[in-house]
Structures are given as C-alpha cells and as structure tokens.
Amino acid sequence: EENYMPSSNQGWPEDFGFQLGGNGPSYILSVEEGSSAHLAGLQAGDQVLEIEGHDVSMLCPQAVIAIAQTQKNIPPSIGVVSRIQQVLQLLNPQQ
C-alpha cells in the first residue's frame, strides 16, 4: 500500500502511524510497521517529551495531540525518550 504523507496534522498521531496513551506523561502505545512514525524511529513505550520544542512531558495524550495538531510542520517534530533506554540505565547506572 502506498505510504502517503497527510496534508495536515488533524489526524495526528493516527494518520502518521502511531497511538498515544498514558495520563501525563504520554507514552507511545503502538507504532504501525512501515508508517512515517516507524521510519522516524518511534517505538512503543517511548515517552513523549516535546512537540516542536514545546515541553509536553507532563501532559496527557489529549493535550499533546491538541498541541501537535496546531503545528505548522507536517508532521510536527517529536522528542521522545525510550523507555527501554531508561530501563537499561537503571540496570547499568554507572554509564
């Protein structure tokens, strides 16, 4: 199937191939194989820290989505921290 880039952010995040969950902070629940989110390296379990430089680290998904949908860039840049890396850091704190 053709991978098209949506012409607006109104359908973010689903249109870009991922879903958000959590109740502040927000986490990526799932990423569709081959989607733009997948190609950008997003992974399930990543915590969303910022959207286009706006700190959204303590916001619930509804608030994060509202901010993302108003951004000019399609898709908006998203800063995440990998839950997997955090777990590794806890297991290996001297790094």
Side-chain angles (χ1 to χ4, degrees), residues 25 27 45-47 49 80-93:
Y27 291 89
D46 287 356
Q47 181 184 334
L49 297 183
V80 300
V81 62
S82 167
R83 188 175 54 90
I84 294 156
Q85 283 173 351
Q86 286 182 318
V87 171
L88 289 175
Q89 282 166 349
L90 290 175
L91 291 174
N92 200 347

Side-chain angles (χ1 to χ4, degrees), residues 24-48:
S26 297
Y27 291 89
I28 294 176
L29 290 180
S30 63
V31 178
E32 213 177 292
E33 197 78 23
S35 67
S36 47
H38 183 242
L39 298 173
L42 298 180
Q43 293 178 312
D46 287 356
Q47 181 184 334
V48 181

Side-chain angles (χ1 to χ4, degrees), residues 19-82:
Q19 291 181 309
L20 289 183
N23 46 18
S26 297
Y27 291 89
I28 294 176
L29 290 180
S30 63
V31 178
E32 213 177 292
E33 197 78 23
S35 67
S36 47
H38 183 242
L39 298 173
L42 298 180
Q43 293 178 312
D46 287 356
Q47 181 184 334
V48 181
L49 297 183
E50 52 178 50
I51 301 288
E52 289 288 335
H54 299 279
D55 179 4
V56 298
S57 57
M58 294 319 293
L59 300 182
C60 66
Q62 290 79 2
V64 173
I65 289 167
I67 290 169
Q69 288 181 349
T70 63
Q71 301 305 310
K72 304 251 190 308
N73 289 334
I74 304 172
S77 71
I78 177 171
V80 300
V81 62
S82 167

